[in-house]
Amino acid sequence: MKFSKVLVKLENGDIAVREGWNGKGMFATWSAGQKELPADRFWIPANKEAAEENGGFMDVEPYFALKTAQKTIQMGWVPSIGDLSANDWVILL
């Protein structure tokens, strides 16, 4: 499946993988972000402080996340040109 079709699935909360990825257990997800996230929900002190200075809330923009082969979550993952042009995307059920 092409990434353009996968994006629609990700926006609906599905999880996507590429058959061409070398790492086992890797997957991509999408977060739609959140409007007016309370300051106490931020774990990075500078972000929490910015939200407090903004009246106690801050909007969070949408982002991709990737579960890596090293068993970490990479927030703010950006698909490569290879990922965007690949047709080996699969939706996990």
Side-chain angles (χ1 to χ4, degrees), residues 67-85:
K67 196 273 189 174
T68 70
Q70 294 75 32
K71 300 180 182 174
T72 63
I73 299 296
Q74 178 185 346
M75 296 173 70
W77 171 69
V78 178
S80 69
I81 295 297
D83 292 327
L84 294 173
S85 62

Side-chain angles (χ1 to χ4, degrees), residues 11 13-14 45 49-51 93:
E11 288 173 336
D14 290 340
E49 183 178 327
L93 300 176

Side-chain angles (χ1 to χ4, degrees), residues 31-38 41 58-62:
S31 172
Q34 184 172 336
K35 296 290 183 192
E36 297 186 354
L37 187 67
R41 299 276 312 275
M58 186 71 72
D59 292 348
V60 176
E61 297 291 332

Side-chain angles (χ1 to χ4, degrees), residues 11-77:
E11 288 173 336
N12 288 324
D14 290 340
I15 297 170
V17 300
R18 282 202 49 212
E19 291 177 346
W21 279 341
N22 295 328
K24 294 205 183 267
M26 294 176 66
F27 61 79
T29 59
W30 169 257
S31 172
Q34 184 172 336
K35 296 290 183 192
E36 297 186 354
L37 187 67
D40 64 359
R41 299 276 312 275
F42 289 94
W43 66 88
I44 297 172
N47 294 348
K48 182 176 183 175
E49 183 178 327
E52 288 168 346
E53 291 172 357
N54 191 48
F57 299 91
M58 186 71 72
D59 292 348
V60 176
E61 297 291 332
Y63 62 90
F64 289 108
L66 180 72
K67 196 273 189 174
T68 70
Q70 294 75 32
K71 300 180 182 174
T72 63
I73 299 296
Q74 178 185 346
M75 296 173 70
W77 171 69

